[in-house]
Amino acid sequence: MHLLTLSLANIGPYVDPVTIDFTQLGQDGPFLLEGPTGAGKTTLVDAIVFALYGEMSGRDSDDARLVSTFRAPGATPWVELEIETRRGLYRVRRSPAHTRPKRSGTGVTVENSAVRLWKLAEPGDPGTPLTRRHDEADRELEDAIGLTPEQFTQTVVLPQGDFARFLRTSPEKREDILTKVFGTQIYDALVAAVVETTQRREQETQTARTRWGARATEFASLAWSGDLEPDAATEARGRFGEAMAGEDMTQALLLARDRATGVAEAAGAAEATAARAQRDLDEAQAALRAAEQDNAALARWAALVRERETLEAQADAMAAERATLERATRAERVRHPLTAARGAEEALVATRRRLEDALPGADRVLDTPFEGDATAWLVRVDAQRLTAEQERAEVAAWEQRAAALATEQAALAEDEAALAEDRMAWEEAAATAATREQRVTELAEQQRAAEHEAGQAEAARAAAAAAELLIAAVRERDDLTEQRETARRQVEELTRAALAAAQAYHAAHETWLSGLAAEVAAELSEGEPCPVCGSRDHPAPAQPAPSAVSRQRLGELADAETRADEAVSQARERLAAVDAARKAAAKAAGDTSLVEAEAAHRIASDQVARCEAARGEAMAAASAQADEQARLVALRDDIAARQVRLGRQEGALATRRAVMDTQAQALADHVQDHGPLADQADALSTRAAALAEAADAGRAWDEARRAADARASELTDALAEAGFPDADAATAALLPPDGARSRTSALAAFDDQLIGVQARAAAPDMVRAAELEAVDEAPLRALVTTRQDQAQRAHERVGALTRLADATRDGLARLEADASAVADQWESLRPWSHLRALVQGANNLSMTLPTFVLLRRFDEVLELANERLLTMTAGRYELERTDDREGRARRQGLGLVMVDHEADDARRPTRTLSGGETFLTSLALALGLSDAVTAEAGGIELGTLLVDEGFGSLDAENLDRVMAQLAALRAGGRQVGVISHVEELKGRITDRLTVRPRGGGTSVVTCAVPGVIRPAAETAPLLD
């Protein structure tokens, strides 16, 4: 990962928007971020970590510390960072949670933290938006960088106070970092895959054996059921069960094959017996069928004789039925004319009755009454009806004009009323305009007064800021005073504990020396030479005294003494640091008490609040004045427009009134001449309806009369043709349709039945049947029944044995297939079981595959780190990996000890290193990790290293060595930043970012390298 640009505003002491271009820094070596203590150097590191992960770099840092206390009210704090990762270029922009004034009313509201993430094609381009969700942005950036926030601050950014965390962290956390940066998770996945595959194959093998056992049980239940030799079957089944219990698949398969062969042979014998029984049955059934056929033929001949006699007795009745059917056939040709003539006569009567009902109404409006001549009478009726309809249409037109006139009169009245209301509204608007002019003048006076009060805001804010700084200094002075007392008491307690530990060690050491002979004797083994005298015989070894001290106990007491001394040293360092900080705080706070400082802050804050309120009042008054002025101008324009509109409306209404008066006079003249419109319409409608009804009735009667004459003529012709004297004779000969069909069908059936009987009597089988005699069938049926029972039992036995043989054969095939599957599964499982044992530690190293790979990677890191550490310490110190477990559940092989080559290669824990030694070792370890990861294909690229403080603990010679290593690192293409206030570094590093306080708690950052510092773009998209 490489830093490209960092932009921020309203973050810590940095209020103004600023951009730092890291690509222009450190072209020939590391770059320096320098400035006085508290100016804001670490804030820039915090801003980088916050942009990437949404949290601060230090373990005890609070995100709220990022929000500048000197920003303008409502100003948004934000950080924007462009980076290059293994996944490409990204731009991330975050805003921490902060407060702002409420948009309405007084007080403040909390704005939640926000984030936006873009993917870039090249540095500086607008980019493609990815997300505004915190979880999605955090996940995308962590995956692109390849490190968690904690891992990032142990390998890339080494924050002030957390510099040595990777050196001193636990083996488990060290393992997490190494696994992440080297990408060795694949080996854990490989082991998991091997274990999963082996377990799956074990399960498959066990499933195959279980399936074979179930198949064998199924085979036994099928193969030994219904056997002809129960004793032999029981014995064979018992042997098969013993083979299953002993999981002897070979013996079980042999017994199963024998059983399948025996069942097949028994089935063959049963088939031969069944065949003989079937032949006997067939012979008996043939004899019975012959007797049944003769008896049946004799019965059919007797029935045929009886049927012929019955038909011959019905011959006369069938002849009479044929005569009746012939008359009905002739009458059927007259059925339609009869029906038509009767219908026409009925229609004529109905239309005559309708005409008689309509004549009285028509006679009242006609000049001459109806006298029998329908044609002439209908002409007069149609003429009178047409005249009535035309007059009715004229009256309807007058009715429509009257309705339209009434509607227009109502609309005119409404428009005249609306005009009166508009004139009143115009007069009210004119009065309102005068009132608004007075309001504009009053608001202008209010604005001038409020602006004068708000002009004192800057002085009030400066006083409030100074009061806040004083409160912080007083609180820090008081807190450090308590901390100094606590630290002093802790030094005294630890000193007493260290003295007790030293006394315990020296007393135990003297006891150990006195009991050394007993300890040597305790280590003697039979047959082994004594390390003192060389003898292999040990007749009387010395015995330990009751108060003897073992070598292990002595070592424990020595370690306890060392730890106690280290604790005292650390406590004294903390006391000195707290005391120095307290003196600096006391200098800033003076003799001011917390109550006095808080009172001064309240007074200044009240003044700021009053000024801010006055500014709001001025803005509100200005806004209100502008609104009133705008409304006044709009009102005046509206008054003028209304005056013009009123004049036009009055003229239009006068014209409409004149037109309506003319129309109303014409309508009144018509009513005076002809009477009310409704009476005219009713009279004309009644007259037209009576004439229409009479015309329709006359036409219907005339048409019915002509139709009745035509149908009567047709009926006369049809009767003559059918041979009937009159309509009544034809009607009497008619039969219902169903009756004629049933009589015809009955005659046809009688003829067919008679012909059939005669034909069957002449058939050869009936001629033969007439000569037969009856046969007794009972003995033959009894013989067939007996032989059927015998054949059925034989066939049932064949079926049972055949099914048993088929089931046994199929069961044997499945049993053999499952046995083969068990063998195949077992052969497939063996290499996987061996491989699982190897990768899980069953090898000559007793080490799992992921641990083996990770230790090799850690050895590479230590080798590269030691190259730098030996150089930076002039060959004195070297790190060594230890296989000792650090804690009961911790990883083996990831512990560290320091080797001191100037002290006879003595080894000591890394926690005993001094401040300078810790800085050099941590830096060498971080650089070694970076070298190893950069050289590892597929690992995470650690292309950036930021070191915050620690250089003040080095002497000039060690500082030279460290700077040479950092310069070599930059020469390899990596980005190295040093954050320090040590003056000596200014002469060693040319590219420097300088943080300068500018008063009032704010700072600015500058750089002599052109193009590194520039104002942040004001048009940068804000978070919303």
Side-chain angles (χ1 to χ4, degrees):
M1 185 210 74
H2 286 81
L3 299 177
L4 300 180
T5 61
L6 171 67
S7 302
L8 51 84
N10 299 309
I11 297 295
Y14 305 101
V15 177
D16 298 331
V18 63
T19 295
I20 303 173
D21 189 349
F22 289 99
T23 62
Q24 305 297 321
L25 279 175
Q27 299 295 322
D28 301 322
F31 65 87
L32 174 66
L33 177 58
E34 56 95 14
T37 301
K41 301 186 298 298
T42 302
T43 300
L44 296 178
V45 178
D46 291 338
I48 293 172
V49 179
F50 175 74
L52 293 176
Y53 294 101
E55 58 185 61
M56 304 282 280
S57 60
R59 287 172 295 174
D60 300 326
S61 297
D62 185 1
D63 294 354
R65 187 164 63 85
L66 278 178
V67 181
S68 175
T69 58
F70 308 104
R71 61 191 173 95
T76 300
W78 57 269
V79 177
E80 183 174 286
L81 184 67
E82 285 191 13
I83 58 171
E84 182 180 6
T85 72
R86 57 182 178 173
R87 287 191 176 181
L89 300 175
Y90 290 88
R91 180 190 300 116
V92 59
R93 186 178 178 94
R94 293 186 191 264
S95 173
H98 58 280
T99 60
R100 63 165 177 79
K102 291 183 177 179
R103 293 187 176 89
S104 61
T106 60
V108 297
T109 185
V110 176
E111 288 283 352
N112 295 326
S113 60
V115 64
R116 292 187 70 178
L117 182 64
W118 295 266
K119 189 72 177 290
L120 311 182
E122 60 183 19
D125 77 340
T128 302
L130 295 182
T131 184
R132 294 191 180 193
R133 289 173 55 94
H134 286 283
D135 54 347
E136 294 177 354
D138 294 346
R139 183 168 55 253
E140 177 71 20
L141 289 172
E142 185 172 325
D143 290 344
I145 298 169
L147 298 171
T148 65
E150 184 177 9
Q151 293 164 351
F152 185 81
T153 56
Q154 295 182 47
T155 56
V156 176
V157 174
L158 306 180
Q160 184 176 1
D162 289 342
F163 189 84
R165 288 177 65 192
F166 182 68
L167 173 66
R168 293 176 176 173
T169 192
S170 65
E172 289 94 337
K173 293 184 179 180
R174 194 177 293 136
E175 176 194 4
D176 292 341
I177 296 173
L178 295 173
T179 299
K180 192 80 170 182
V181 299
F182 283 113
T184 60
Q185 302 94 330
I186 186 174
Y187 297 100
D188 291 303
L190 177 61
V191 172
V194 170
V195 172
E196 181 183 358
T197 301
T198 305
Q199 290 175 345
R200 186 177 67 253
R201 291 182 179 272
E202 287 177 344
Q203 182 63 36
E204 290 171 353
T205 301
Q206 182 59 39
T207 300
R209 294 189 66 87
T210 302
R211 188 186 304 114
W212 180 86
R215 194 74 73 189
T217 301
E218 178 186 353
F219 178 83
S221 64
L222 287 173
W224 280 281
S225 61
D227 191 72
L228 298 178
E229 299 174 351
D231 296 336
T234 301
E235 180 183 357
R237 182 167 187 170
R239 293 200 304 273
F240 185 80
E242 292 174 357
M244 287 176 54
E247 296 187 351
D248 188 349
M249 297 171 59
T250 303
Q251 180 64 22
L253 287 173
L254 290 175
L255 293 170
R257 294 188 185 105
D258 291 343
R259 179 58 179 168
T261 302
V263 173
E265 292 173 352
E271 286 180 356
T273 301
R276 290 192 298 271
Q278 185 63 43
R279 286 195 296 273
D280 295 341
L281 174 60
D282 292 343
E283 293 174 357
Q285 288 177 336
L288 177 60
R289 281 197 299 273
E292 288 175 341
Q293 289 173 359
D294 290 347
N295 289 338
L298 185 60
R300 287 197 300 274
W301 168 251
L304 185 60
V305 171
R306 289 193 298 274
E307 184 178 1
R308 183 175 58 186
E309 293 173 352
T310 301
L311 291 174
E312 290 174 350
Q314 298 176 358
D316 295 339
M318 290 296 106
E321 191 71 17
R322 281 190 178 87
T324 301
L325 188 60
E326 188 274 334
R327 287 194 302 274
T329 301
R330 287 188 291 111
E332 191 65 32
R333 293 197 295 270
V334 186
R335 180 187 295 273
H336 180 69
L338 279 171
T339 303
R342 290 170 182 166
E345 188 65 27
E346 292 173 357
L348 179 61
V349 173
T351 55
R352 179 64 185 180
R353 188 178 301 112
R354 178 184 173 190
L355 177 60
E356 291 173 352
D357 292 339
L359 284 176
D363 290 343
R364 286 194 297 271
V365 296
L366 288 176
D367 297 335
T368 57
F370 176 70
E371 297 177 350
D373 185 359
T375 302
W377 183 77
L378 286 172
V379 170
R380 293 195 302 274
V381 170
D382 288 339
Q384 291 291 331
R385 184 182 62 181
L386 180 60
T387 300
E389 289 176 350
Q390 291 174 347
E391 293 176 354
R392 177 67 182 87
E394 292 176 359
V395 173
W398 277 105
E399 288 176 336
Q400 291 177 355
R401 286 198 292 271
L405 180 61
T407 301
E408 181 62 21
Q409 288 174 338
L412 179 62
E414 292 178 356
D415 291 343
E416 288 175 341
L419 179 62
E421 293 178 357
D422 288 346
R423 181 168 296 283
M424 292 177 63
W426 174 78
E427 294 172 353
E428 292 176 357
T432 303
T435 303
R436 289 195 183 281
E437 289 179 354
Q438 179 63 30
R439 178 60 178 163
V440 169
T441 303
E442 294 174 355
L443 289 172
E445 291 296 330
Q446 293 179 11
Q447 179 185 358
R448 285 192 292 272
E451 287 177 346
H452 176 72
E453 180 71 18
Q456 304 176 16
E458 288 299 326
R461 276 196 293 270
E468 287 181 354
L469 293 176
L470 182 59
I471 289 174
V474 170
R475 288 175 175 169
E476 185 178 9
R477 179 199 64 193
D478 296 344
D479 292 343
L480 289 172
T481 300
E482 295 178 1
Q483 293 179 22
R484 181 184 62 175
E485 181 62 24
T486 301
R488 185 188 61 77
R489 289 195 299 270
Q490 188 176 18
V491 167
E492 293 176 354
E493 293 173 359
L494 291 174
T495 301
R496 288 193 294 271
L499 179 60
Q503 291 173 351
Y505 170 72
H506 290 301
H509 188 265
E510 292 177 0
T511 303
W512 174 74
L513 289 175
S514 63
L516 188 59
E519 184 176 350
V520 172
E523 297 178 355
L524 294 177
S525 299
E526 189 66 31
E528 296 294 329
C530 175
V532 178
C533 65
S535 174
R536 295 182 182 275
D537 297 326
H538 316 298
Q543 298 298 319
S547 60
V549 177
S550 65
R551 184 177 300 175
Q552 179 181 358
R553 176 57 180 165
L554 186 63
E556 293 174 352
L557 291 173
D559 290 342
E561 181 186 15
T562 302
R563 289 195 297 272
D565 291 339
E566 292 173 355
V568 171
S569 299
Q570 294 173 0
R572 287 174 177 169
E573 291 177 1
R574 287 195 296 273
L575 176 59
V578 170
D579 190 52
R582 189 200 66 81
K583 291 178 180 178
K587 182 177 179 181
D591 297 331
T592 305
S593 67
L594 181 60
V595 174
E596 293 171 342
E598 291 176 342
H601 181 264
R602 281 195 300 273
I603 293 172
S605 298
D606 292 344
Q607 181 62 25
V608 170
R610 287 194 297 274
C611 293
E612 293 297 335
R615 177 178 284 108
E617 293 173 359
M619 294 175 62
S623 176
Q625 181 186 7
D627 292 343
E628 285 293 332
Q629 185 66 38
R631 285 195 290 269
L632 179 60
V633 171
L635 184 59
R636 287 172 176 168
D637 293 342
D638 183 58
I639 290 172
R642 287 187 181 186
Q643 188 172 8
V644 174
R645 188 166 59 252
L646 286 173
R648 288 198 297 268
Q649 290 176 349
E650 288 174 348
L653 289 176
T655 300
R656 288 170 59 191
R657 172 63 68 184
V659 171
M660 279 189 292
D661 291 344
T662 300
Q663 294 175 350
Q665 184 60 45
L667 178 62
D669 293 343
H670 177 80
V671 171
Q672 183 177 3
D673 294 339
H674 300 88
L677 294 177
D679 294 345
Q680 296 178 44
D682 290 343
L684 290 172
S685 296
T686 301
R687 179 181 179 188
L691 290 171
E693 174 61 23
D696 291 342
R699 288 190 180 89
W701 173 79
D702 191 47
E703 291 175 359
R705 181 172 53 78
R706 288 195 293 270
D709 294 342
R711 301 292 87 75
S713 176
E714 292 172 357
L715 177 59
T716 301
D717 295 341
L719 289 171
E721 182 180 353
F724 289 102
D726 52 31
D728 293 338
T731 301
L734 285 172
L735 290 175
D738 291 342
R741 283 195 296 269
S742 62
R743 293 188 182 203
T744 301
S745 297
L747 287 172
F750 175 79
D751 293 340
D752 292 342
Q753 191 174 6
L754 181 60
I755 293 170
V757 167
Q758 293 171 350
R760 290 199 303 274
D765 59 334
M766 289 294 98
V767 174
R768 175 180 172 276
E771 300 175 356
L772 292 176
E773 295 182 359
V775 180
D776 187 3
E777 300 176 3
L780 296 175
R781 293 185 186 280
L783 179 60
V784 168
T785 301
T786 300
R787 291 185 177 179
Q788 279 179 339
D789 292 341
Q790 294 172 352
Q792 182 178 0
R793 288 194 296 272
H795 284 300
E796 287 176 353
R797 179 172 176 77
V798 169
L801 288 175
T802 300
R803 289 192 295 273
L804 180 61
D806 293 341
T808 304
R809 183 181 63 254
D810 294 342
L812 177 61
R814 291 192 293 270
L815 195 62
E816 290 175 337
D818 288 345
S820 177
V822 171
D824 292 342
Q825 290 290 346
W826 180 252
E827 288 299 320
S828 175
L829 171 63
R830 283 193 296 181
W832 283 100
S833 297
H834 179 64
L835 180 59
R836 177 178 62 181
L838 287 177
V839 299
Q840 286 187 322
N843 49 59
N844 56 355
L845 297 177
S846 297
M847 187 179 297
T848 65
L849 177 61
T851 301
F852 174 78
V853 174
L854 200 60
L855 291 183
R856 298 293 77 79
R857 293 292 183 268
F858 193 35
D859 287 341
E860 294 173 11
V861 172
L862 292 182
E863 181 179 354
L864 295 169
N866 282 328
E867 291 179 5
R868 299 182 182 276
L869 182 59
L870 288 169
T871 301
M872 288 189 291
T873 61
R876 177 177 180 181
Y877 290 122
E878 187 175 8
L879 286 169
E880 183 177 280
R881 181 176 62 80
T882 175
D883 288 335
D884 295 339
R885 294 183 183 272
E886 299 184 18
R888 183 173 56 188
R890 296 182 178 178
R891 279 282 189 185
Q892 180 180 10
L894 292 178
L896 288 174
V897 295
M898 177 64 78
V899 179
D900 189 346
H901 293 302
E902 293 185 2
D904 296 330
D905 292 340
R907 288 162 173 76
R908 58 192 175 105
T910 56
R911 65 177 179 272
T912 63
L913 298 177
S914 65
E917 292 169 344
T918 297
F919 176 77
L920 291 175
T921 306
S922 300
L923 181 59
L925 193 58
L927 298 181
L929 179 62
S930 179
D931 291 338
V933 171
T934 302
E936 173 69 20
I940 297 171
E941 180 186 2
L942 302 181
T944 298
L945 179 66
L946 298 179
V947 184
D948 189 356
E949 293 302 346
F951 295 91
S953 61
L954 303 179
D955 55 27
E957 184 177 357
N958 282 330
L959 187 58
D960 288 337
R961 298 191 187 103
V962 169
M963 294 309 298
Q965 291 296 315
L966 295 178
L969 191 67
R970 177 55 185 165
R974 298 176 211 174
Q975 196 176 41
V976 181
V978 175
I979 305 168
S980 179
H981 63 278
V982 176
E983 288 293 329
E984 189 173 352
L985 289 177
K986 295 181 181 180
R988 298 172 182 268
I989 301 177
T990 57
D991 290 0
R992 297 193 299 273
L993 290 171
T994 302
V995 179
R996 303 182 186 279
R998 62 178 184 181
T1002 63
S1003 298
V1004 295
V1005 58
T1006 61
C1007 183
V1009 179
V1012 172
I1013 304 298
R1014 61 178 183 269
E1018 294 293 344
T1019 58
L1022 294 177
L1023 296 168
D1024 49 26

